[in-house]
């Protein structure tokens, strides 16, 4: 059963476990490929992860003159192929979310590949495996649909894969507001 | 005969997921080396080099289902770290004590000979009790147990205590007084997300026990409530339904105020109180004074917030009161624990699933390590040294006579006082780094420096090891096996993933070999493996109320852990405490405690107008001896800082990232300022994981709780000075 990375931004506690875990994926050369931001550090402790959303029509791949960025059959937008990447950094500029990172020593772009050696076999990526707060989850479409129903605020702004952000994405993001629709028990 | 197969609960978060298996690797199932969560993890071991090379989530562990914090993810990097001590080290020049300098590599033989000679000489001249053992609970039950026996049987001294005095001893004292038993959580963690209200006091849960958070957040998703009591708006407080932002050190007033409201507003469960508790009338009388207004005056929390908190907790069908070091590391820590526990006892929200009381255990084995005889007055199975029957029982297992059993000693901090007074002249330190973690460090470091002879067993050269004459290389958690008792009171199994690096040895082996050198070999020579120690330890705990006898390694494996008490092989253990509403006091009743309020030992004044409080960050563990060496964790938090509210910063004319001098009556340090609105204006916060001149414990106060002997790390009076100002003058 196909599973997707699903993000509930409101759960983030800023522990950076996702980044630590990213370095532990066998294919990641011990470099983390995503981001966690302090939203307003002088004011409060709010944090949020910024993960590759694995666009269905990814700007990084479209912008690559060398066709170094391949899209896996699962929809994962892979890291640049070492033998093809020419180090032009077009992808880092093209990505609307600023995801691809660049290794100046190797002259090579690298990015999240959803731990493809895991996710191709349905094993959750390292980040979603370890995330202590369930900000990052690995769910089936049915589970995501149930979430959508649960959090539906009838404003149509639920996931990034709708036209409100940059285009359809394989990763689903729940914009802040998961608790707005919750009815208190008492 | 077919035994009934029992297994502890796997809840809705549990998913069947197969692990990724790389070629030429095996996965060793175990748990994290750090906090009381004891998250399940698999260590990846290269089958050609037989070395640990990485980590893989352990999806099949029902408590944490694969989740790990950044410390857990990188924990494996400790084992083959370049800083490991690989051979015994001896320092001949005592004038270099307090530095890293002057150590030379030596053989185990030479190190043991020197230790035996020095210890024997000291004891001949100054008596048996001139030696001491200072231990810790970030190690297996087997090691904790044997350390108690080692001190009393091999070193024959009364002076043994441990770092739990800086960690869990107030929780222990409070639970013993309220319930007559000290199990950190009355319910399993798989209940947490199913309750209707979490009342969390003095716990920065998101940073200190991160893998509890998916369950904590789920309470809100289900429509339940989270109430957080903390001087800082921690990540959990930020999203809580109610944040009671109290002044550090005023918890007991808040607890009394809420208990008063619970009684006044009719939330008391009279039937439960009458049948199952003592002390209600007296408490009711005492808390009357704590009206919302009076409570607000003391705590600084708005009266309407206090009223709302009592209303939510009172109305909740099920609720769990949780707390941690924020309330416990005070000189009234035991009273704070009993005070908050009163909330559960007055409303009867205990002794059933999804309701109860829990403390967030700080150290990996903070629970098990305090039960089996490392504490100055305790013996295995939570037996008491002052109870002749208990002493008799343990003597039978150890093969000594009751006359040979040393008397109770003193608490951790008090041992340093005795070192200063030369009552104690020798120290065997293991599994702890008091040169960073003890309060009032200028005094503690001086006491350690003044010792005639000090041995330190550790796998890194800690700040405390810098005071040692001999350092013995011990192993990391992944190079030995044994059991640990986690935050829930669940006994779990730590497995060995690689052979000890270099010449390092597990502490139990070091102690058994050293006992031989001290002429006490006959009491230890049968302990050849960790399992041998485990078998003796289970027997020694048998009949005590922390009874581990039935918790065999096989059963732990089969059942996903065993909750104590577990008396025999057919007993599956006790996930929920008090389901029969029987508490452990002789009359079977719990005690509702009438607790008069006391302010912190040191209140702010004109000279020291700020309240200083300390705590952890998510990237470091305890004194930081382990985590500061891990690259990722170091990169994320390389140095301490002082959190200051912007209005307070404006008063001092200091800016974000500026370095300032922070000082108290006991000491000073220079910290980078971190401006944040997420702290009270009258309070500053510094994390305590850092050594040498960065240690905030140079400033903290050694005011001890009268029962638990816990120092008041969480509240003292401080002042900030702008550095340039001093230069100009």
């Amino acid at each position: 059963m196909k599973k997707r990375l699903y993000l509930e931004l409101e759960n983030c506690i800023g522990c950076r476990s996702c980044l630590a875990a990213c370095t532990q994926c066998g294919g990641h050369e011990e470099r983390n490929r995503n981001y966690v931001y302090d939203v307003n550090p002088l004011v409060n402790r709010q944090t949020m992860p910024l993960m590759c959303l694995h666009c269905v029509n990814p700007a990084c791949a479209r912008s690559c003159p060398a066709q170094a960025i391949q899209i896996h059959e699962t929809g994962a937008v892979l890291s640049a192929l070492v033998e093809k990447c020419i180090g032009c950094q077009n992808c880092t500029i093209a990505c609307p979310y600023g995801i691809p990172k660049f290794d100046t020593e190797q002259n090579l772009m690298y990015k999240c590949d959803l731990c493809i050696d895991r996710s191709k076999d349905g094993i959750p990526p390292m980040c979603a495996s370890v995330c202590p707060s369930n900000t990052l989850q690995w769910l089936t479409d049915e589970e995501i649909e149930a979430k959508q129903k649960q959090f539906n605020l009838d404003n149509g702004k639920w996931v990034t894969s709708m036209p409100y952000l940059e285009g359809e994405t394989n990763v689903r993001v729940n914009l802040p507001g998961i608790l707005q629709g919750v009815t208190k028990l008492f | 005969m077919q035994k009934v197969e029992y297994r502890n609960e796997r809840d809705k978060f549990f998913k069947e997921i197969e692990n990724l298996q790389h070629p030429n690797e095996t996965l060793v199932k175990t748990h994290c080396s750090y906090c009381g969560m004891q998250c399940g993890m698999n260590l990846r071991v290269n089958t050609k080099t037989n070395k640990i090379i990485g980590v893989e989530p352990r999806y099949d562990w029902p408590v944490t289902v694969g989740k790990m914090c950044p410390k857990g993810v990188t924990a494996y990097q400790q084992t083959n770290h370049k800083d490991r001590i690989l051979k015994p080290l001896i320092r001949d020049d005592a004038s270099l004590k307090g530095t890293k300098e002057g150590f030379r590599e030596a053989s185990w033989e030479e190190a043991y000979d020197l230790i035996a000679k020095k210890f024997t000489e000291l004891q001949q001249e100054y008596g048996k009790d001139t030696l001491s053992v200072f231990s810790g609970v970030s190690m297996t039950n087997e090691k904790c147990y044997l350390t108690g026996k080692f001190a009393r049987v091999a070193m024959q001294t009364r002076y043994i205590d441990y770092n739990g005095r800086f960690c869990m001893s107030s929780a222990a004292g409070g639970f013993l007084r309220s319930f007559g038993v000290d199990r950190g959580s009355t319910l399993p963690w798989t209940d947490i997300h199913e309750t209707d209200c979490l009342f969390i006091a003095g716990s920065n849960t998101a940073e200190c026990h991160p893998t509890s958070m998916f369950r904590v957040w789920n309470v809100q998703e289900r429509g339940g409530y989270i109430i957080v009591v903390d001087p800082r708006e921690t990540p959990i407080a930020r999203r809580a339904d109610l944040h009671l932002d109290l002044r550090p050190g005023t918890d007991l007033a808040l607890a009394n105020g809420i208990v008063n409201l619970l009684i006044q507003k009719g939330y008391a469960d009279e039937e439960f109180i009458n049948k199952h508790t003592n002390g209600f009338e007296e408490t009711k009388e005492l808390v009357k004074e704590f009206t919302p207004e009076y409570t607000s005056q003391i705590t600084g929390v708005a009266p309407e917030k206090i009223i709302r908190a009592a209303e939510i907790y009172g109305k909740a069908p099920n609720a769990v009161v949780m707390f941690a070091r924020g309330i416990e590391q005070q000189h009234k820590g035991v009273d704070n624990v009993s005070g908050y526990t009163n909330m559960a006892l007055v409303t009867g929200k205990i002794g059933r699933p999804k309701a109860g009381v829990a403390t967030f255990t700080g150290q990996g084995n903070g629970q098990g390590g305090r039960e089996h005889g490392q504490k100055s007055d305790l013996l295995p199975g939570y037996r008491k040294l002052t109870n002749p029957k208990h002493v008799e029982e343990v003597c039978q297992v150890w093969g000594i006579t009751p006359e040979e059993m040393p008397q109770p000693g003193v608490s951790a901090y008090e041992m340093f006082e005795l070192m200063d007074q030369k009552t104690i002249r020798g120290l065997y330190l293991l599994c702890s780094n008091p040169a960073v973690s003890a309060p009032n460090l200028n005094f503690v470091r001086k006491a350690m420096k003044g010792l005639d002879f000090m041995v330190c067993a550790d796998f890194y050269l800690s700040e405390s090891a810098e005071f040692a004459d001999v350092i013995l290389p011990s192993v990391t958690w992944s190079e030995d096996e044994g059991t640990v008792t986690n935050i829930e009171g669940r006994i779990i199994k730590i497995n060995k993933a690689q052979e000890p690096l270099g010449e390092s040895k597990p502490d139990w082996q070091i102690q058994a070999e050293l006992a031989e050198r001290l002429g006490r070999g006959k009491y230890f020579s049968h302990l050849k493996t960790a399992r041998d120690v485990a078998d003796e330890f289970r027997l020694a705990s048998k009949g005590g109320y922390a009874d581990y006898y039935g918790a065999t390694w096989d059963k732990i494996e089969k059942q996903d852990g065993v909750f104590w008490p577990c008396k025999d092989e057919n007993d599956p253990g006790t996930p929920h405490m008090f389901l029969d509403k029987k508490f452990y006091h002789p009359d079977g009743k719990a005690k509702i405690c009438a607790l008069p309020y006391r302010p912190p030992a040191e209140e702010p004044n004109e000279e020291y107008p700020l309240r200083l409080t300390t705590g952890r960050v998510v990237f470091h563990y305890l004194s930081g001896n382990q985590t500061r060496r891990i690259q990722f964790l170091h990169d994320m938090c390389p140095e301490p800082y002082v959190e200051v509210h912007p209005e307070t910063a404006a008063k001092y004319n200091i800016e974000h990232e500026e370095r300032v001098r922070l000082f108290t009556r006991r000491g000073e340090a220079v910290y980078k300022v971190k401006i944040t609105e997420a702290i009270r204006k009258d309070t500053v916060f510094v994390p305590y994981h850092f050594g040498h001149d960065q240690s905030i414990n140079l400033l903290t106060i050694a005011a001890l709780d009268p029962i638990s002997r816990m120092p008041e790390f969480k509240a003292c009076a401080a002042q900030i000075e702008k550095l340039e100002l001093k230069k100009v003058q």
Side-chain angles (χ1 to χ4, degrees), chain A residues 10-11 13 15-17 20 24 42-46 118 129-134 179 182-186, chain B residues 44 56 59 66-70 76 196 206-207 210 214 217 222-225 233 239 241 619 676-678:
Chain A
E10 215 143 315
N11 291 344
I13 54 174
C15 71
R16 272 81 175 172
S17 203
Q24 296 307 307
L42 300 186
V43 174
N44 64 29
R45 300 292 303 272
Q46 188 183 358
R118 307 174 71 85
S129 296
V130 303
C131 177
S133 63
N134 268 354
L179 296 178
V182 174
T183 314
K184 284 291 184 188
L185 290 168
F186 56 91
Chain B
R44 290 166 51 196
E56 168 71 18
Y59 303 110
K67 296 174 178 305
M68 286 180 270
C69 79
Y76 78 91
D196 308 309
E207 294 202 72
F214 65 103
W217 286 158
R222 287 178 37 256
Y225 293 83
E233 195 194 76
R239 197 179 123 172
D241 295 272
F619 304 109
T676 176
E677 287 176 24

Side-chain angles (χ1 to χ4, degrees), chain B residues 212-238:
Chain B
S212 291
M213 289 307 294
F214 65 103
R215 296 182 194 281
V216 169
W217 286 158
N218 194 236
V219 171
Q220 278 183 320
E221 262 185 64
R222 287 178 37 256
Y225 293 83
I226 299 174
I227 302 170
V228 172
V229 181
D230 202 304
R232 301 160 65 216
E233 195 194 76
T234 57
I236 185 175
R238 192 181 74 80

Side-chain angles (χ1 to χ4, degrees), chain B residues 438-459:
Chain B
N440 193 17
L441 279 181
N442 282 319
F443 174 79
V444 166
R445 289 175 185 174
K446 179 172 149 270
M448 286 170 81
K449 200 169 177 177
L451 285 166
D452 291 21
F453 188 70
M454 174 179 157
V455 179
C456 175
D458 207 326
F459 47 86

Side-chain angles (χ1 to χ4, degrees), chain B residues 386-404:
Chain B
T386 46
N387 180 327
K389 186 171 164 285
H390 288 180
V391 172
E392 179 85 27
E393 287 165 354
V394 173
C395 283
Q396 279 186 7
V397 179
W398 287 355
I400 60 171
T401 64
E403 294 71 39
E404 289 177 278

Side-chain angles (χ1 to χ4, degrees), chain B residues 330-405:
Chain B
Q330 296 181 22
H331 83 136
K332 54 177 175 298
V334 172
D335 286 357
N336 289 338
V337 168
S338 288
Y340 283 122
T341 299
N342 281 347
M343 291 169 59
L345 291 173
V346 164
T347 57
K349 291 189 215 288
I350 192 165
R352 59 173 188 256
K354 305 174 197 178
V357 179
T359 181
F360 287 94
T361 303
Q363 291 187 72
N365 198 20
Q367 178 74 52
R370 70 179 182 260
E371 298 163 357
H372 300 295
Q374 290 195 94
K375 220 170 179 172
S376 60
D377 57 347
L378 290 185
L379 291 170
Y382 234 122
R383 289 186 176 85
K384 288 195 170 133
L385 257 174
T386 46
N387 180 327
K389 186 171 164 285
H390 288 180
V391 172
E392 179 85 27
E393 287 165 354
V394 173
C395 283
Q396 279 186 7
V397 179
W398 287 355
I400 60 171
T401 64
E403 294 71 39
E404 289 177 278
M405 182 70 86

Side-chain angles (χ1 to χ4, degrees), chain B residues 49-259:
Chain B
T49 61
N50 292 316
K51 290 278 196 295
I52 295 165
I53 55 160
V55 68
E56 168 71 18
R58 191 173 160 191
Y59 303 110
D60 68 350
W61 181 245
V63 186
T64 50
V65 296
K67 296 174 178 305
M68 286 180 270
C69 79
K71 299 183 290 288
V73 170
T74 54
Y76 78 91
Q77 293 170 13
Q78 293 170 82
T79 304
N80 296 307
H81 195 282
K82 64 175 173 50
D83 290 356
R84 280 289 299 272
I85 304 170
L86 301 176
K87 283 184 166 196
L89 302 174
I90 292 177
R91 175 158 57 193
D92 304 303
D93 182 355
S95 73
L96 294 170
K97 278 193 184 202
T99 74
K100 290 188 177 70
E101 308 304 317
F103 288 106
R104 63 174 170 85
E105 289 187 347
S107 67
W108 279 99
E109 291 303 303
E110 187 188 0
Y112 283 152
D113 284 345
L114 180 62
I115 295 167
K117 176 171 166 279
K118 290 286 188 179
F119 277 178
T120 309
E121 282 172 6
L122 282 172
Q123 285 187 319
Q124 276 168 356
E125 193 160 346
Y126 302 105
K128 296 281 189 202
D129 293 334
T130 196
L131 299 183
S132 62
V133 175
F134 191 106
S135 184
V137 286
S138 296
M139 59 183 185
T140 60
N141 284 314
E142 287 75 13
K143 286 171 179 162
C144 292
Y145 158 76
L146 200 69
T147 299
K149 179 178 172 184
F150 174 74
R152 292 175 178 120
V153 179
M155 288 175 62
Q156 303 175 72
T157 178
R158 67 191 295 181
Y159 293 120
I160 169 168
D161 210 60
Y162 77 123
N163 64 9
R165 296 281 188 185
F166 306 153
C167 186
M168 298 310 296
S169 64
S170 289
F175 286 151
L176 283 170
R177 186 169 58 181
S178 295
F179 302 139
V181 64
D182 161 33
R183 203 186 83 178
S185 178
T186 65
L187 71 180
W189 239 235
T190 42
D191 271 23
I192 301 280
H193 58 280
E194 296 194 339
T195 193
D196 308 309
C197 169
L198 290 176
F199 182 98
I200 302 179
S203 160
N204 178 5
T205 317
E207 294 202 72
C208 307
H209 299 86
T211 50
S212 291
M213 289 307 294
F214 65 103
R215 296 182 194 281
V216 169
W217 286 158
N218 194 236
V219 171
Q220 278 183 320
E221 262 185 64
R222 287 178 37 256
Y225 293 83
I226 299 174
I227 302 170
V228 172
V229 181
D230 202 304
R232 301 160 65 216
E233 195 194 76
T234 57
I236 185 175
R238 192 181 74 80
R239 197 179 123 172
D241 295 272
L242 201 56
H243 173 205
L244 308 179
D245 49 344
L246 86 178
R247 292 188 183 106
T250 62
D251 287 273
L252 186 56
L254 183 66
N256 281 348
I258 291 176
V259 168

